[in-house]
Structures are given as C-alpha cells and as structure tokens.
Amino acid sequence: MAQRDHPGVAVPPPLIYFAFLGLGWALDRYGVQIGLPAGEDISLGLGTELRRGIALALIIGGLLLDGMAAGLFRRLDTAVEPWKPSTALATEGPYRFSRNPIYVGFAITYAGLAVAMDSPVALLMLVPCLVVIDWAVIRKEEAYLARTFGAEYEAYRNRVRRWL
C-alpha cells in the first residue's frame, strides 16, 4: 500500500483541544469535582478582574503565537492543516524555539479559556489533552516530516525542542 502524502492525522487538533476543554468545563459545572462533596462549588480562587486579565493575556498570547506560526506556513506556501501535504519545512520564526508552536499556542489559548470560565477541572484537563495531542497528532506529524524531509528534518529535530 502506498504511503499517503500527509501525516494521517484523523481529527483536527483544534477539535481535540475544544473537546477536552468542554469536557473539563462540563465535569466542573455538573458535579464531578475533584476532592469536594457533590454540589460544592470550586473555582480558581482569583478575583474576577485578575482572572479576566490573566485569561485575556493568555488567550491573546496564544492566538498571536498561532497566527505567527500559521503565517509562516502561508509565506512558505505549505499547508497548516495536518491532513494536507507539506511542501516546505518551517524552521524560522517561532519554529526556532519549538517544533510545535501552533500546539503550544493552542495550549496557551486553552489555559486562558479555562481561566476565563473559572474552571479548575478544565484547566487540569489540559494535561491529558496534551498527551493525546502528542500521541495522536505530533508523533504522526514527526514521522511524516522525517519521511518527507529526511536529514534536513532530523537536523532540525535535533536542535529544536518539541514543545519549548
């Protein structure tokens, strides 16, 4: 069977982040609260203004990082979507510091949304979300990039961290 010219990622990564965020919020709001009697409200313990400021900073920061990274893909005329072929290897801009700045940006935005929702359970769900992203998306993308770009990708992979 011929290898497809894309990583084979089955679910768009933003949907994975939104699924975990929604699940965490639902668990938080509808009674599955960690270490507390059913029905007792939990929050992040931040004042409303501080919580909103932190949330806004995280959301804007995450979206800016995503925009910078996606903009570089567009300038290189290669696909951002992991179900399309890659025609160029991004190694500049935010890719100098992380092999996955878009997923880092998604995680920062996720954290901002969880803070905005005052949902500690949603915030905690970021950890299993990142495990799923690593397993179901990043590993496939990295194997694909190694097949597609060979030694150029391996040299890049050896000098730049996966996350930060």
Side-chain angles (χ1 to χ4, degrees):
M1 179 177 199
Q3 182 69 41
R4 287 189 230 160
D5 188 24
H6 60 78
V9 174
V11 178
L15 292 181
I16 296 170
Y17 282 90
F18 281 123
F20 275 91
L21 183 65
L23 177 62
W25 177 82
L27 291 173
D28 197 2
R29 293 300 176 244
Y30 296 107
V32 181
Q33 297 174 345
I34 301 169
L36 294 174
E40 189 171 327
D41 189 33
I42 60 173
S43 73
L44 293 170
L46 303 171
T48 301
E49 293 304 314
L50 177 60
R51 183 173 49 80
R52 286 179 181 164
I54 291 169
L56 186 61
L58 289 169
I59 292 167
I60 290 171
L63 292 174
L64 284 173
L65 180 56
D66 287 337
M68 288 178 8
L72 179 59
F73 273 44
R74 286 185 183 82
R75 283 192 300 284
L76 292 172
D77 198 28
T78 192
V80 175
E81 304 88 355
W83 53 87
K84 294 182 179 178
S86 291
T87 58
L89 184 62
T91 60
E92 298 302 316
Y95 289 89
R96 291 176 304 179
F97 309 105
S98 170
R99 295 194 312 262
N100 297 288
I102 291 176
Y103 301 138
V104 172
F106 286 167
I108 293 168
T109 301
Y110 175 116
L113 292 169
V115 169
M117 296 184 303
D118 201 18
S119 178
V121 177
L123 196 56
L124 288 172
M125 291 297 290
L126 180 56
V127 174
C129 177
L130 294 176
V131 170
V132 170
I133 289 292
D134 185 65
W135 175 78
V137 178
I138 292 173
R139 290 174 193 237
K140 290 180 180 184
E141 288 180 347
E142 290 197 335
Y144 168 74
L145 293 171
R147 285 191 312 271
T148 303
F149 297 104
E152 181 185 6
Y153 177 72
E154 287 305 315
Y156 171 68
R157 188 181 66 80
N158 287 330
R159 76 175 179 272
V160 177
R161 295 174 190 241
R162 179 178 278 172
W163 288 97
L164 293 176

